[in-house]
Amino acid sequence: MASTASDILVDVLVDWGVDTIFGMPGDGINGIVEALRRRQDEIRFIQVRHEEAAAFAACGYAKFTGRLGVCIATSGPGGLHLLNGLYDAKLDHQPVLAITGLQYHDLVGTYTQQDVELDKVFQDVALYNQRVMGAAHVRNIANLACRTALAHRGVSHITIPVDLQEQGIGADMRAPRNVKGHNTALFAPQLPVPSEAQTRRAVEILDAGKRVVILAGQGALKATDQLERLADKLGAVIVKALLGKAAVPDDSPFTTGQVGLLGTAPSQEALETCDTLLIAGSTFPYIEYYPKPGQARAIQIDIDAARIGLRYPVEAGLVGDCGLALDILTERVRRHEDRSFLKTAQAGKAEWMKLMEERGTRPDLPMKPQVVAWELGKRLSDTAIVACDSGTIATWWARQIPARRGQMHSLSGNLATMAPGVPYAIAAQLAHPGRQVVAYVGDGGFSMLMADFATAVKYKLPIKVIISNNNSLGQIKWEQIAMLGNPEYVCDLQPIDFAKVAEACGGRGFTITDPKDCGATLDAALAHPGPVVVDCLVDTNEPPMPPKVQAKQALHFTEALARGTPDALKIAATVFKGRAREVI
């Protein structure tokens, strides 16, 4: 029986199906933590080592379950630490609720300790953002917060002064208009059906197309069969945004893999030569990789009408669920018998995969990062969940680790922040305890929140953390060199023995330095029943080459080497020794 404002809050969370909260205790949320302690049989509190990890984990939980992710932090700095993970949820459209504390309600704004008005701070990141004014206010606010996050797939935020958290229900006078029970309805959002007029227009465009490309994104993750059926009927090529990596398995005859800077050459060629583009559940942000305006007629499917035409001019916009819209289109379009465009893409994919195998099986020392990704990809289970991080690591994940049917893959998409790999993996393992979960991360990203490997140990979560360790902020290094033509500067990192870190946290650590040992060591790591870190020492001079090297990039590259980039000769040798075919 609820007796305080915090009890009411926990009641609402239970009503909305919340069973996990990520956070750290603190004096600014003591009342809520006590209410959670009394209900620990219904909601588990996962104690992390940094509030940023709590927000990342809540985002990952939403990504890998489709349910509401929840994080909690104390007043002042605790709440501020949530922001990066919450922006990750905002930009990748994930339903997350953040709960924070405030100082005593009658001391807010008086320069008291930790006097940060978090509702004002969170105005941009949160779709719904409110300060609780008393016990009678909690149920209305909490219900709206949960409903808004789920309905609009974004962030909600509730902040509660510490003294009001323990306010008794009888001690707060309900306003006359605040009729009991008026805002308690739970609901599952209904997915809109695309309009008939726009559907007819889309069918006309697809029927007229001769070289059709489908760009699949995060919104198409649950529409694998529908994507393949439509591609088969149209003779279309499916290319994938990073967040759509698992939308279609990479062994599908219809896909050429990822697009963009981290993508594949055949995917880029398909976009450059198509005459029709169907964007399915994606707002892939790199506009320069889309077909040139006027080259292709375009259709877009998106659950959010505001995002139709956001990246490329479209002639038909289908607002609704991707799977439903694709089913409707498949039923109504005519079958295209000409398969020449698809066959050209398939031949390009075969050549590309030969190149990826060559890169992934090189015996060179220092070990190439592609070798680790290639060997890991072969060993993942059919239901594996892979959480990647940002940086050069994302290139090897995108290209060298194939997505198989039944797997889940994700990373920080639009925010592209470092450090979510391990928190995502923790959330995935909690949500799916029987599945293999791997965090594939770089040394820069892992070291930001590496204390949360101890969280995996604490809760006996058998996540496997595979670190591509080049002792460098590699992505920034290559951006300085290839994008700007500047010498590399302040990107080298102090080496850390991550296997020893894992052992110090109570987990298991492995180290790989030689490609001939890579497969066997990964086998041992993946077979270990507990949490594991595999520290893979790789070549710091191996660049993540774009699918097609542009003349401007090549010029900047040579300028940067000439102007004093450290290890310029080694970098040049690494690039041109193994990439003659790519550069040509």
Side-chain angles (χ1 to χ4, degrees):
M1 182 73 177
S3 61
T4 68
S6 294
D7 291 328
I8 296 171
L9 175 61
V10 175
D11 276 348
V12 173
L13 295 178
V14 170
D15 288 344
W16 281 92
V18 173
D19 60 9
T20 305
I21 292 180
F22 301 92
M24 291 181 69
D27 60 0
I29 50 171
N30 273 340
I32 301 171
V33 170
E34 170 58 15
L36 288 167
R37 184 192 67 80
R38 293 195 294 265
R39 303 287 288 278
Q40 60 186 290
D41 58 329
E42 296 172 89
I43 298 181
R44 56 186 171 183
F45 189 105
I46 302 300
Q47 177 211 71
V48 298
R49 293 302 185 100
H50 195 291
E51 291 93 348
E52 184 180 5
F56 279 139
C59 179
Y61 196 86
K63 283 187 172 186
F64 293 124
T65 66
R67 297 165 57 194
L68 183 66
V70 183
C71 55
I72 186 169
T74 192
S75 54
L80 294 174
H81 284 161
L82 294 176
L83 280 171
N84 195 40
L86 295 182
Y87 271 102
D88 187 37
K90 175 186 176 177
L91 269 62
D92 282 354
H93 313 290
Q94 296 304 317
V96 168
L97 171 64
I99 301 166
T100 62
L102 280 178
Q103 283 305 313
Y104 291 89
H105 80 280
D106 53 353
L107 290 178
V108 172
T110 67
Y111 308 108
T112 189
Q113 186 185 35
Q114 295 188 345
D115 189 7
V116 179
E117 296 184 68
L118 292 170
D119 49 335
K120 295 178 181 178
V121 174
F122 283 41
Q123 283 178 346
D124 179 65
V125 74
L127 289 166
Y128 186 84
N129 176 35
Q130 291 294 330
R131 182 186 303 188
V132 169
M133 307 298 288
H137 198 204
V138 173
R139 192 174 300 278
N140 290 339
I141 292 297
N143 272 314
L144 277 169
C146 295
R147 189 179 302 143
T148 303
L150 288 164
H152 297 285
R153 299 195 65 78
V155 175
S156 285
H157 170 236
I158 300 171
T159 190
I160 311 179
V162 63
D163 54 324
L164 299 185
Q165 293 169 25
E166 296 186 278
Q167 186 178 61
I169 294 173
D172 194 333
M173 183 66 68
R174 182 185 293 272
R177 290 182 181 172
N178 188 10
V179 177
K180 187 175 182 179
H182 80 275
N183 181 29
T184 57
L186 308 178
F187 81 108
Q190 296 299 308
L191 298 172
V193 178
S195 75
E196 176 59 25
Q198 292 297 307
T199 300
R200 283 200 303 268
R201 183 67 175 149
V203 170
E204 291 170 5
I205 294 167
L206 292 172
D207 281 347
K210 298 184 183 304
R211 299 182 302 280
V212 182
V213 166
I214 302 172
L215 170 57
Q218 173 176 240
L221 287 175
K222 295 183 180 179
T224 302
D225 294 339
Q226 293 93 326
L227 286 166
E228 290 194 306
R229 283 197 293 264
L230 182 59
D232 182 43
K233 201 163 184 183
L234 297 173
V237 176
I238 301 172
V239 301
K240 300 183 289 185
L242 284 183
L243 288 174
K245 179 177 175 71
V248 174
D250 280 307
D251 61 2
S252 168
F254 302 106
T255 189
T256 50
Q258 312 297 137
V259 295
L261 185 66
L262 314 186
T264 72
S267 288
Q268 189 58 36
E269 288 162 3
L271 285 170
E272 290 174 356
T273 57
C274 70
D275 63 15
T276 307
L277 176 65
L278 171 58
I279 305 169
S282 178
T283 49
F284 175 69
Y286 297 99
I287 298 171
E288 63 270 28
Y289 289 97
Y290 286 81
K292 291 181 173 61
Q295 170 196 318
R297 303 177 71 188
I299 304 152
Q300 186 172 351
I301 305 168
D302 204 285
I303 198 72
D304 184 355
R307 304 182 81 79
I308 299 291
L310 185 63
R311 308 293 186 212
Y312 192 81
V314 301
E315 295 182 39
L318 280 61
V319 179
D321 173 66
C322 238
L324 176 61
L326 291 167
D327 275 337
I328 294 169
L329 292 176
T330 302
E331 183 180 338
R332 296 172 64 169
V333 297
R334 67 174 180 81
R335 182 173 179 80
H336 293 199
E337 299 301 335
D338 183 357
R339 303 275 136 163
S340 57
F341 182 64
L342 176 59
K343 287 180 179 178
T344 298
Q346 289 170 336
K349 177 184 176 181
E351 282 298 308
W352 177 263
M353 291 311 299
K354 288 179 184 176
L355 188 63
M356 293 302 99
E357 183 174 10
E358 177 187 318
R359 300 282 178 258
T361 55
R362 287 175 62 173
D364 308 47
L365 289 172
M367 182 169 57
K368 298 300 180 184
Q370 298 97 316
V371 171
V372 178
W374 184 262
E375 294 294 337
L376 176 62
K378 293 191 296 184
R379 289 165 168 79
L380 294 173
S381 73
D382 289 341
T383 59
I385 302 173
V386 181
C388 188
D389 219 316
S390 294
T392 55
I393 192 78
T395 303
W396 321 132
W397 167 78
R399 294 177 177 173
Q400 238 81 26
I401 298 180
R404 296 209 290 272
R405 188 179 295 270
Q407 291 180 347
M408 289 194 281
H409 291 253
S410 197
L411 80 173
S412 175
N414 283 290
L415 187 60
T417 179
M418 296 169 68
V422 169
Y424 274 19
I426 287 170
Q429 195 73 82
L430 286 162
H432 303 283
R435 296 177 67 164
Q436 182 187 64
V437 176
V438 172
Y440 179 61
V441 300
D443 53 317
F446 178 72
S447 61
M448 285 183 171
L449 292 173
M450 66 182 173
D452 269 293
F453 182 72
T455 302
V457 175
K458 176 183 176 74
Y459 293 100
K460 298 180 174 58
L461 304 175
I463 65 170
K464 313 305 179 207
V465 183
I466 314 300
I467 304 174
S468 184
N469 184 357
N470 60 7
N471 291 316
S472 174
L473 298 173
Q475 190 71 30
I476 308 305
K477 170 180 176 176
W478 299 112
E479 286 173 350
Q480 288 176 352
I481 293 172
M483 300 300 180
L484 300 175
N486 294 331
E488 176 270 320
Y489 182 60
V490 296
C491 292
D492 289 342
L493 297 174
Q494 173 66 24
I496 298 174
D497 188 331
F498 293 113
K500 288 184 178 178
V501 171
E503 301 283 348
C505 290
R508 181 71 190 277
F510 294 84
T511 301
I512 306 175
T513 60
D514 194 317
K516 70 175 183 292
D517 301 325
C518 188
T521 304
L522 287 174
D523 282 335
L526 293 172
H528 184 73
V532 169
V533 165
V534 184
D535 189 5
C536 308
L537 304 182
V538 299
D539 189 356
T540 190
N541 294 319
E542 181 71 13
M545 298 290 283
K548 289 188 172 183
V549 179
Q550 299 173 4
K552 185 177 181 180
Q553 291 169 331
L555 177 61
H556 283 163
F557 190 88
T558 54
E559 286 176 343
L561 298 188
R563 290 174 59 194
T565 290
D567 290 332
L569 293 178
K570 290 181 181 179
I571 292 171
T574 297
V575 171
F576 295 112
K577 175 184 176 183
R579 282 176 175 70
R581 283 162 54 194
E582 252 177 286
V583 172
I584 290 169

